[in-house]
Amino acid sequence: MRVGIVGCGTVGSGVVKLLLQNSSLIERRTGEKIEIAFVADKNPEKVKSLGVPVDRVYDDGFEALKSVDCDVIVELIGGTTVARDLIIEALKMEKHVVTANKALLADYGKDLFMLARESGVSLKFEASVGGGIPVIKALREGLVGNRIKGIYGIINGTANYILTMMTEKKVDFYTALKEAQELGYAEADPTLDVEGYDAAHKIAILSSLAYCRWVKTENVYLRGIREITPLDIELAMDFGYRIKLLAISKLEENGMEVRVHPTMIPENHILASVNGVFNACLVDGDFVGETLYYGKGAGEKPTASAVVSDIVDLALGNFYDVPECLFEKSEVKIKEPDEFVSSFYLRFTALDKPGVLASISKILAKFGISIKMALQKSVTVEGGVPVVMTTHPAKKRDVQKAIEEIDKLDVILKPTFVCMIEEFTNE
């Protein structure tokens, strides 16, 4: 099988190295020979330095696609413009495509997969979620006999590293972010990671596969981690929780929830121990129960491993990609955020005077919200004291209405911080 690689950045370099170093191993294991037909990148000297023969190096992926005979195109450019055009061109030319482009698949996947079907070729994407963790293969193959009840993922290593540093070193968000940038775990502009967009792309893809309903990034409820403070980290631990940026999708009788946000999870839950740049994805199936997929979710080698697994799948004739039902009209409803039911952590910044707790409790009761635990810290924050509560399960709509009313009280000094809690209660 002849493979053309477009884009030789971090992941592309890893794919080239893997194929050059382990091609004989792959051939012994599978009986199939994988050959690099070309590598295209704007920096051809970098490609040559990896050991790619000069006559197989191009500086234009479109030119290479049209002039070099190959069976598979590996798109590792990133972005949703040039990469999309390249994939469309390759599919129209009846070339199989392998990509790690989560943003492109989350927003344009349906059209691209339809084009692949019409052209009689395959579009594979194992590396788009979880780097080297085979969670997509698990959903498509290993768990195909299960109704998926829920997916819970720590699927952005940058955000997880920052929250880990805030927890372990007791530093604020910006100090942890600076360290992540210095170590190369965070980009100069970290928006996609810390605001949750990267995780939203990934949970959209996983939800589409799990529930046979196309989910786009715009369908995902999204909140980032910038608002998390060391005080929230400390209070979460006081209540027996850890804070993680969690990507969640659930299928319930009244619809599907798809969301990414800071989440408090019990400190004894296995996801609470996933630290640093590691990723983990817990998938709950009706027959298999809970299964966990853990490992490095990004980087040159783990992601290259996933890309090459897709190439080998194609060499072995495994051409299927997404469930047939995804092309049918779905009746699965995606819930609005107001409909979410969860326990909540509420942090109020209030004047230190009698009656504050009673005033807050009265309003919460008015909206049917039951307090589970409450405490007041004897520290001063922005001229007030933190009053902190956790609730029993309540509708997000009711919590939001209560907070709007509470924040109008004269004793409340700044907007209330709200964080959802995931208890992982199995029925």
Side-chain angles (χ1 to χ4, degrees):
M1 176 162 277
R2 290 173 54 79
V3 178
I5 301 167
V6 184
C8 198
T10 300
V11 177
S13 296
V15 172
V16 171
K17 292 174 186 176
L18 196 160
L19 290 177
L20 290 177
Q21 293 176 21
N22 291 352
S23 60
S24 60
L25 173 65
I26 293 170
E27 187 172 1
R28 287 202 307 273
R29 285 178 172 173
T30 66
E32 301 292 337
K33 183 176 181 179
I34 310 295
E35 178 183 345
I36 296 176
F38 71 82
V39 180
D41 191 86
K42 290 182 179 179
N43 184 357
E45 294 305 315
K46 177 182 178 181
V47 179
K48 294 174 186 175
S49 72
L50 297 175
V52 178
V54 175
D55 62 346
R56 300 183 189 184
V57 178
Y58 288 75
D59 61 6
D60 186 320
F62 290 91
E63 177 189 348
L65 173 63
K66 293 175 182 177
S67 59
V68 181
D69 178 41
C70 61
D71 307 294
V72 180
I73 297 297
V74 179
E75 180 277 307
L76 298 171
I77 306 169
T80 58
T81 53
V82 177
R84 183 185 178 198
D85 292 340
L86 179 82
I87 289 176
I88 289 173
E89 186 72 19
L91 294 175
K92 286 181 176 178
M93 293 175 67
E94 300 182 356
K95 310 286 187 186
H96 298 296
V97 173
V98 174
T99 183
N101 198 326
K102 51 196 168 286
L104 183 64
L105 293 177
D107 290 337
Y108 301 102
K110 186 172 184 178
D111 292 339
L112 294 175
F113 284 111
M114 183 64 76
L115 177 58
R117 291 182 73 199
E118 292 170 354
S119 300
V121 291
S122 191
L123 171 58
K124 289 192 172 290
F125 54 103
E126 181 64 59
S128 65
V129 180
I133 306 171
V135 63
I136 288 176
K137 190 175 287 287
L139 284 172
R140 292 189 306 170
E141 299 177 27
L143 304 180
V144 69
N146 287 258
R147 291 185 183 275
I148 304 302
K149 299 191 293 181
I151 300 172
Y152 307 86
I154 296 172
I155 48 180
N156 181 270
T158 300
N160 199 44
Y161 181 85
I162 290 170
L163 290 173
T164 299
M165 291 303 98
M166 291 178 70
T167 302
E168 295 180 351
K169 297 186 177 181
K170 303 185 187 307
V171 297
D172 65 18
F173 168 81
Y174 291 100
T175 301
L177 171 60
K178 183 180 179 182
E179 179 176 324
Q181 290 171 325
E182 290 172 350
L183 293 172
Y185 297 147
E187 301 290 342
D189 179 0
T191 302
L192 285 176
D193 296 315
V194 302
E195 297 298 343
Y197 293 103
D198 175 78
H201 296 147
K202 295 170 182 176
I203 197 64
I205 292 169
L206 294 179
S207 300
S208 296
L209 290 174
Y211 307 126
C212 285
R213 149 102 199 225
W214 286 107
V215 178
K216 292 187 174 183
T217 311
E218 64 192 41
N219 302 132
V220 182
Y221 170 76
L222 184 61
R223 279 187 63 193
I225 64 172
R226 288 184 191 269
E227 293 180 306
I228 301 295
T229 68
L231 179 61
D232 294 312
I233 300 283
E234 178 186 339
L235 290 167
M237 295 174 72
D238 288 345
F239 284 125
Y241 297 106
R242 296 291 184 271
I243 299 179
K244 296 291 185 182
L245 182 67
L246 202 62
I248 301 170
S249 69
K250 301 179 183 180
L251 185 62
E252 299 175 337
E253 289 185 3
N254 58 343
M256 180 200 314
E257 294 181 17
V258 192
R259 43 191 170 99
V260 173
H261 51 77
T263 309
M264 289 190 179
I265 59 180
E267 62 186 357
N268 60 357
H269 192 275
I270 192 167
L271 288 177
S273 64
V274 178
N275 292 319
V277 295
F278 280 83
N279 282 198
C281 195
L282 186 152
V283 182
D284 186 8
D286 62 346
F287 272 69
V288 73
E290 294 182 348
T291 58
L292 183 73
Y293 308 88
Y294 171 85
K296 291 184 177 179
E300 176 185 302
K301 292 182 178 180
T303 310
S305 173
V307 169
V308 172
S309 76
D310 277 343
I311 296 171
V312 172
D313 253 3
L314 291 169
L316 294 173
N318 299 326
F319 297 145
Y320 59 88
D321 297 303
V322 294
E324 184 72 21
C325 59
L326 272 171
F327 298 101
E328 302 168 0
K329 185 176 180 179
S330 174
E331 297 181 359
V332 178
K333 169 192 171 186
I334 297 178
K335 292 183 187 178
E336 294 296 326
D338 281 354
E339 299 176 81
F340 298 162
V341 175
S342 174
S343 298
F344 289 85
Y345 161 93
L346 311 174
R347 174 172 52 80
F348 309 95
T349 303
L351 293 174
D352 188 7
K353 59 188 299 185
V356 171
L357 191 59
S359 298
I360 293 172
S361 301
K362 182 178 179 181
I363 294 173
L364 291 174
K366 173 183 172 181
F367 289 94
I369 300 162
S370 176
I371 300 169
K372 183 177 181 181
M373 292 184 284
L375 63 84
Q376 181 173 322
K377 296 289 283 187
S378 57
V379 296
T380 301
V381 178
E382 298 185 5
V385 294
V387 177
V388 187
M389 298 179 179
T390 61
T391 76
H392 290 285
K395 276 194 175 181
K396 189 174 183 298
R397 175 193 299 114
D398 295 331
V399 172
Q400 191 58 47
K401 288 179 179 178
I403 295 304
E404 289 172 3
E405 193 164 319
I406 290 169
D407 284 350
K408 292 176 183 177
L409 294 173
D410 292 340
V411 294
I412 300 299
L413 301 179
K414 58 177 295 187
T416 299
F417 176 75
V418 181
C419 184
M420 284 191 267
I421 300 172
E422 192 66 38
E423 299 286 6
F424 297 98
T425 302
N426 291 321
E427 297 180 358

